[in-house]
Amino acid sequence: KTVILSQSYSGTTSNYTITDQSASPTVNITAKPITISGITATTKAYDGTSSVTLSKPTVSSLGFVARDNITITTTGAFDVVDVGTQTVTLTQSYGGTTSNYTITDQSTKPSAVISAKAITISGITATGKTYDGTNSVTLSKPTVSSLGFITRDNIIIETTGTFDVVDVGTQSVTLAQSYSGTTSNYTITDQATKPTAAISAKAITVF
């Protein structure tokens, strides 16, 4: 780059005839090296996707000069989408007058916790029946998806029930609930409320 000189003098300059330097000197301005750092990932509840929210440093805090209007676009994706402390792969790009810099991407992968998704089972109901002297009961159950489970986990809900009292009347039902599939991605709370159903009198005709 060419340097434009501005020359002035002080002291007893009347004793001299001073001629300014006419040739403009040149100097090499090298690109400023900047290494990106400080990108972190935010914890989230399990949702079955690799999406992640990033916290990013400001352009000025990294050492970029305001006149260059540098923009940093950084996205990320969890390497593993299951519950646990997982690493994040970053994709980094830059806009503005980037020719004034040698930019090194952040090399360290941030990590963040994917916490278990909380699901409370509800909506299990019992169907009325005619008295048969047994505690057997037919249950109506909600779908896995309606409860908030993610398809990729192949969750299966096994729920059985028995009438607490087998005689005619509106009777409560004790539930036995179990789960299979990738249950480690969830904290599952069983349905706490006992469903009820009517056991109706059995009709008998005497001949």
Side-chain angles (χ1 to χ4, degrees), residues 111-125:
S111 62
V113 172
I114 299 177
S115 60
K117 181 177 184 179
I119 291 182
T120 298
I121 306 300
S122 64
I124 301 170
T125 60

Side-chain angles (χ1 to χ4, degrees), residues 35-113:
T35 298
I36 307 300
S37 63
I39 302 169
T40 60
T42 303
T43 293
K44 74 169 185 176
Y46 172 73
D47 63 3
T49 74
S50 62
S51 67
V52 61
T53 299
L54 300 174
S55 295
K56 310 167 190 177
T58 63
V59 169
S60 59
S61 71
L62 291 168
F64 292 102
V65 178
R67 67 180 291 276
D68 292 321
N69 298 311
I70 297 297
T71 57
I72 303 175
T73 302
T74 305
T75 59
F78 278 110
D79 296 323
V80 176
V81 304
D82 296 309
V83 165
T85 300
Q86 311 296 4
T87 56
V88 173
T89 294
L90 299 175
T91 302
Q92 302 164 73
S93 61
Y94 312 93
T97 312
T98 57
S99 56
N100 286 332
Y101 304 90
T102 54
I103 304 173
T104 302
D105 290 345
Q106 177 169 316
S107 58
T108 304
K109 287 186 174 186
S111 62
V113 172

Side-chain angles (χ1 to χ4, degrees), residues 117-125 140-151 155 157 186 191:
K117 181 177 184 179
I119 291 182
T120 298
I121 306 300
S122 64
I124 301 170
T125 60
S140 295
K141 309 167 191 177
T143 63
V144 169
S145 60
S146 71
L147 290 168
F149 291 102
I150 307 297
T151 302
I155 298 296
I157 304 175
Y186 305 89
Q191 177 169 317

